[in-house]
């Protein structure tokens, strides 16, 4: 049976797409190679959001092709995802060893195309066409079966595409128009996952707050997205719901209020800010002002005081003045994000911003990037330190990625907590006392669990799916 290795660049949506393709191939009899060097098929699932991500994947493919040639190996090489979509057959023209280019609406055809290529088809395959209904085709999961390796968390794709057309962003071109799955379809997938041991689900899309707008009219003042959250919330055995990425302008009062009403919806929101300057927000076509953004953060913290808020910010958008940049700094000081992803502006093909006047020099962008990072890291560190001594509920996901001798989980506000745990803790909600912090990590101690909580809560919250409940 042929083996496949998939390397993923970019966001959680890409991670999810790779997982669905891997699961589809495994179901067709492929095995997953531990390493690209021994695989019969290597697929690069690409990102186009910034030039650097594209260059990395192109460089990687050149490297793979060179190695395969040198060793005289007949490896099948393919690009899939966003860059495959935006560059299409041009990728084969510049890298003639590439056999397959699979666009963002064609993931479900991976097995069919690879079978053809592996059975000797010489002709290369490029498929980047649009396909009605493809948003519902990303549904297979690769959950490991063994009880001790069970996946505790899972991603579920609820929609594809984005119609917002922020002037810097290539996503509307690579992912197409907004298309949503139906509520029953999403709920059925979530139910299956929960039946297989999943406790936390993250609903995914490029702009999830626009979910189902055209298909589900607002009901009792509730948007389609809130209706979906309510439906997923009903699933018994599911402990936590997250979602990403929302758009700040899509955060109506119905969604803000849902955080107070739906206990499984955790206190965490990713609110991409992009800039703190109203002038730039307008040029970016973001659809909100600084004042509205700050107002939204206040409302969310009012509903849930422990709300974790993360963001994305771009520095060096065309025409950004020192004053605009200082507006971003001051907004960060005002809001105090728990985590900020800071990006250097990268001009993207076909986007309006790429041809705007006053593109900034690399030096200016670099300098502002560093200044903003210094500030956001300093503010985030304070947020983490403020949790020392508090008791936090975590969902244990498995061994710590940094130190496999320890275990880790996330707080409801989406912060990683590392603690001296063991396999029996996997998949359980635990209350831990936070002892100290590291870089974007909290360290907890289960020995003093529950001491701080009102009712002296036990260290484990038994779960309806558990039989028997582990000894604590
Ligand atoms: N809503 C989407 C956004 C995708 S891009 C999602 O998260 O699914 C993720 C982040 O990359 C954006 O929020 C933005 O901060 C950054 N980004 C997008 N286009 C960019 C560009 N041309 N240059 C630099 N950063 C960019
Ligand atoms: Fe991109 Fe803006 Fe949509 S950042 S994904 S066009 S909301």
């Amino acid at each position: 049976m042929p083996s496949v290795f998939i390397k993923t660049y970019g966001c959680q949506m890409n991670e999810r797409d790779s997982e669905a393709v891997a699961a589809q191939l495994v179901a067709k009899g492929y095995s997953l190679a531990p390493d690209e060097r021994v695989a019969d098929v290597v697929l690069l699932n690409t990102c186009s959001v910034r030039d650097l991500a594209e260059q990395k994947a192109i460089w990687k493919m050149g490297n793979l092709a060179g190695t395969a040639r040198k060793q005289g190996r007949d490896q099948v090489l393919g690009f899939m995802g966003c860059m495959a979509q935006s560059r299409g057959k041009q990728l084969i023209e510049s890298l003639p060893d590439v056999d397959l280019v699979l666009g963002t609406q064609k993931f479900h055809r991976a097995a069919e195309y690879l079978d053809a290529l592996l059975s000797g088809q010489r002709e290369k395959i490029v498929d980047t066409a649009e396909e009605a209904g493809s948003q519902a085709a990303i549904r297979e999961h690769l959950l490991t079966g063994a009880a001790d390796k069970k996946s505790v968390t899972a991603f579920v794709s609820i929609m594809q595409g984005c119609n917002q057309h922020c002037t810097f962003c290539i996503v509307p071109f690579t992912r197409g128009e907004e298309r949503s799955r139906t509520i029953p379809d999403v709920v059925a997938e979530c139910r299956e996952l929960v039946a297989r041991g999943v406790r936390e689900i993250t609903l995914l899309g490029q702009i999830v707050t626009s979910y189902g707008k055209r298909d589900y009219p607002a009901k009792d003042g509730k948007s389609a997205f809130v209706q979906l959250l309510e439906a997923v919330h009903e699933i018994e055995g599911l402990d936590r719901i997250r979602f990403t990425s929302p758009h700040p302008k899509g955060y109506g009062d119905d969604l803000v209020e849902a955080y107070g009403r739906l206990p499984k919806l955790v206190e965490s929101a990713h609110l991409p800010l992009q800039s703190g300057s109203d002038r730039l927000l307008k040029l970016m076509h973001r659809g909100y002002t600084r004042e509205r953004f700050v107002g939204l953060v206040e409302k969310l913290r009012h509903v849930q005081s422990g709300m974790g808020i993360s963001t994305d910010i771009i520095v060096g958008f065309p025409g950004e003045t020192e004053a605009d940049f200082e507006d971003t700094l001051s907004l960060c000081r005002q809001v105090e994000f728990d985590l900020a992803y800071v990006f250097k502006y990268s001009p993207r093909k076909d986007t309006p911003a790429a041809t705007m006047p006053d593109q900034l020099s690399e030096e200016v962008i670099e300098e502002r990037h560093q200044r903003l990072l210094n500030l956001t890291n300093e503010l985030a560190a304070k947020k983490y330190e403020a949790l020392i001594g508090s008791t936090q509920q975590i969902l244990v996901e498995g061994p710590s990625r940094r130190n496999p001798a320890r275990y880790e989980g996330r707080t409801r506000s989406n912060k990683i907590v590392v603690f001296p745990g063991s396999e029996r803790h996997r998949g359980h909600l635990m209350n831990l006392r936070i002892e100290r912090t590291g870089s974007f990590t909290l360290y907890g101690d289960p020995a003093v669990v529950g001491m701080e909580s009102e009712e002296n809560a036990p260290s484990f919250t038994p779960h309806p799916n558990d039989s028997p409940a582990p000894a604590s």
Side-chain angles (χ1 to χ4, degrees):
M1 269 298 147
S3 64
V4 59
F5 185 84
I6 304 178
K7 183 169 170 61
T8 309
Y9 298 84
C11 64
Q12 287 150 317
M13 273 63 82
N14 282 12
E15 298 281 345
R16 173 69 196 108
D17 297 337
S18 293
E19 190 207 7
V21 168
Q24 174 202 139
L25 293 172
V26 167
K28 292 270 155 62
Y30 287 68
S31 64
L32 299 179
D35 187 302
E36 67 206 29
R37 283 166 298 188
V38 299
D40 300 307
V41 178
V42 181
L43 299 174
L44 301 185
N45 191 7
T46 54
C47 171
S48 286
V49 152
R50 284 167 292 276
D51 186 54
L52 189 63
E54 290 205 342
Q55 293 313 321
K56 274 191 198 163
I58 288 173
W59 181 86
K60 179 80 194 168
M61 188 58 91
N63 228 303
L64 287 169
T67 311
R69 262 196 207 177
K70 233 184 271 159
Q71 298 177 342
R73 296 194 52 197
D74 203 10
Q75 224 171 20
V76 171
L77 299 175
F79 279 116
M80 59 180 192
C82 288
M83 185 174 65
Q85 187 68 41
S86 69
R87 297 197 180 203
K89 70 173 181 350
Q90 185 203 325
L91 285 169
I92 293 186
E93 286 157 11
S94 55
L95 287 158
D97 289 313
V98 171
D99 307 287
L100 173 66
V101 176
L102 197 63
T104 52
Q105 306 201 18
K106 297 293 173 179
F107 293 117
H108 56 291
R109 306 199 59 178
E112 177 192 330
Y113 290 147
L114 290 176
D115 282 350
L117 290 163
L118 286 163
S119 58
Q121 171 174 331
R122 283 275 155 242
E123 205 182 314
K124 297 178 184 291
I125 299 172
V126 178
D127 190 356
T128 56
E130 288 181 15
E131 184 170 325
S134 62
Q135 72 274 20
I138 303 161
R139 62 177 347 279
E140 289 114 321
H141 288 264
L142 250 197
L143 299 183
T144 37
D148 63 339
K149 289 270 156 43
K150 267 199 177 147
S151 303
V152 176
T153 61
F155 292 137
V156 171
S157 169
I158 62 168
M159 67 177 307
Q160 286 288 315
C162 181
N163 295 353
Q164 175 68 22
H165 285 277
C166 299
T167 54
F168 52 80
C169 185
I170 199 172
V171 170
F173 303 100
T174 60
R175 293 280 176 168
E177 295 256 306
E178 289 167 16
R179 289 112 51 218
S180 298
R181 296 173 65 184
T182 65
I183 293 179
D185 191 26
V186 173
V187 170
E189 182 176 331
C190 295
R191 264 188 213 290
E192 261 169 55
L193 289 166
V194 172
R196 291 163 74 181
V198 166
R199 299 290 168 82
E200 174 182 301
I201 285 176
T202 304
L203 304 173
L204 291 182
Q206 279 81 29
I207 180 160
V208 289
T209 37
S210 295
Y211 169 84
K213 259 188 182 164
R214 282 182 241 154
D215 317 293
Y216 296 97
K219 216 163 60 189
D220 308 327
K222 289 176 206 154
S223 62
F225 182 57
V226 171
Q227 294 172 40
L228 174 72
L229 288 175
E230 287 180 347
V232 173
H233 195 268
E234 295 274 298
I235 299 174
E236 204 171 321
L238 178 66
D239 289 328
R240 289 178 167 190
I241 305 171
R242 300 185 186 278
F243 56 82
T244 203
S245 271
H247 189 291
K249 82 170 189 182
Y251 258 89
D253 287 345
D254 59 330
L255 181 52
V256 172
E257 180 259 351
Y259 279 100
R261 190 163 54 84
L262 304 176
K264 295 179 185 177
L265 183 59
V266 294
E267 296 82 77
S268 171
H270 181 66
L271 297 182
L273 167 70
Q274 314 304 359
S275 170
S277 149
D278 280 339
R279 196 180 72 84
L280 285 200
L281 286 171
K282 202 160 182 191
L283 283 174
M284 290 174 163
H285 193 236
R286 288 295 290 174
Y288 53 85
T289 57
R290 174 191 175 100
E291 193 185 342
R292 257 192 71 191
F293 187 93
V294 173
L296 170 60
V297 172
E298 281 167 2
K299 276 193 212 168
L300 287 168
R301 287 189 173 144
H302 181 71
V303 171
Q304 287 289 358
S305 58
M307 197 81 187
I309 297 183
S310 57
T311 195
D312 293 343
I313 302 172
I314 296 178
V315 293
F317 184 83
E320 183 187 71
T321 62
E322 179 61 25
D324 292 318
F325 178 64
E326 281 174 19
D327 283 346
T328 300
L329 294 175
S330 75
L331 193 145
C332 289
R333 280 192 207 101
Q334 191 177 349
V335 165
E336 300 187 333
F337 296 108
D338 296 71
L339 175 64
Y341 297 96
V342 180
F343 303 109
K344 295 183 220 170
Y345 170 71
S346 168
R348 307 315 295 135
K349 194 174 81 166
D350 299 333
T351 60
T355 49
M356 283 181 185
D358 304 324
Q359 304 276 329
L360 302 193
S361 71
E362 249 173 65
E363 292 73 42
V364 171
I365 296 182
E366 182 59 49
E367 189 254 351
R368 289 184 187 164
H369 182 245
Q370 205 48 54
R371 269 161 75 198
L372 183 55
L373 264 186
N374 290 346
L375 175 66
T376 53
N377 286 346
E378 183 192 320
L379 292 168
K382 273 198 208 143
K383 285 253 152 188
Y384 276 67
E385 278 156 25
L387 294 177
I388 295 177
S390 72
T391 300
Q392 299 288 323
Q393 184 209 65
I394 68 161
L395 175 63
V396 183
E397 295 179 17
S400 161
R401 272 155 275 198
R402 290 192 192 179
N403 175 2
R406 301 199 157 225
Y407 273 67
E408 71 178 24
R410 280 168 197 270
T411 64
R412 289 174 61 92
S413 67
N414 209 20
K415 296 181 179 66
I416 292 178
V417 184
V418 175
F419 70 104
S422 70
E423 210 31 61
R424 73 193 168 93
H425 296 120
R426 187 196 288 263
H428 291 276
L429 295 172
M430 290 178 78
N431 293 317
L432 296 184
R433 203 181 115 102
I434 304 305
E435 300 290 300
R436 60 188 178 92
T437 68
S439 162
F440 294 99
T441 309
L442 299 170
Y443 292 88
D445 187 348
V448 278
V449 158
M451 304 289 278
E452 304 277 299
S453 73
E454 279 169 28
E455 304 136 22
N456 236 350
S459 53
F460 287 117
T461 307
H463 191 276
N465 282 358
D466 289 337
S467 58
S472 49

